[in-house]
Amino acid sequence: MRVIEELADALAKDVLEAQGELGDDRFYEKMSKVLGELSPTTQEAFMTAVRVRLAEKRGRDFLARSLAAKRSGTAAPAAPRGADSGH
């Protein structure tokens, strides 16, 4: 159901933006529990949106650092390796 993904993504965006103000970089986990009590489907859509947004942010950061290194003639940042690198 498309509405679930749209609502969950909008909430994920808002929660990730609010984390800095709240001083809690894992606040999304608390929100996930709140959602899971009423709708596991919404909880999973929310967590998927959170993971996608966090991965995109990390990817953009890596791209920016790689370009900065290239432009300044310094060593490029190392990409993650091993079991912790995702799928």
Side-chain angles (χ1 to χ4, degrees):
M1 184 183 251
R2 184 169 171 87
V3 70
I4 293 171
E5 286 83 11
E6 290 174 359
L7 291 171
D9 185 53
L11 182 59
K13 180 181 181 221
D14 292 344
V15 166
L16 291 173
E17 288 176 2
Q19 287 185 160
E21 185 175 340
L22 295 169
D24 183 354
D25 66 348
R26 306 293 279 195
F27 183 75
Y28 67 89
E29 292 175 347
K30 294 173 186 171
M31 180 61 72
S32 176
K33 291 177 183 176
V34 169
L35 296 173
E37 288 182 1
L38 189 58
S39 174
T41 302
T42 303
Q43 178 188 35
E44 184 54 38
F46 170 77
M47 286 306 297
T48 297
V50 166
R51 287 188 295 268
V52 167
R53 287 181 172 278
L54 289 175
E56 189 265 349
K57 182 180 179 192
R58 184 178 291 176
R60 287 194 177 277
D61 179 61
F62 181 74
L63 174 61
R65 290 184 295 123
S66 296
L67 287 172
K70 172 70 174 168
R71 292 171 182 155
S72 68
T74 59
R81 295 181 186 242
D84 294 336
S85 64
H87 299 274

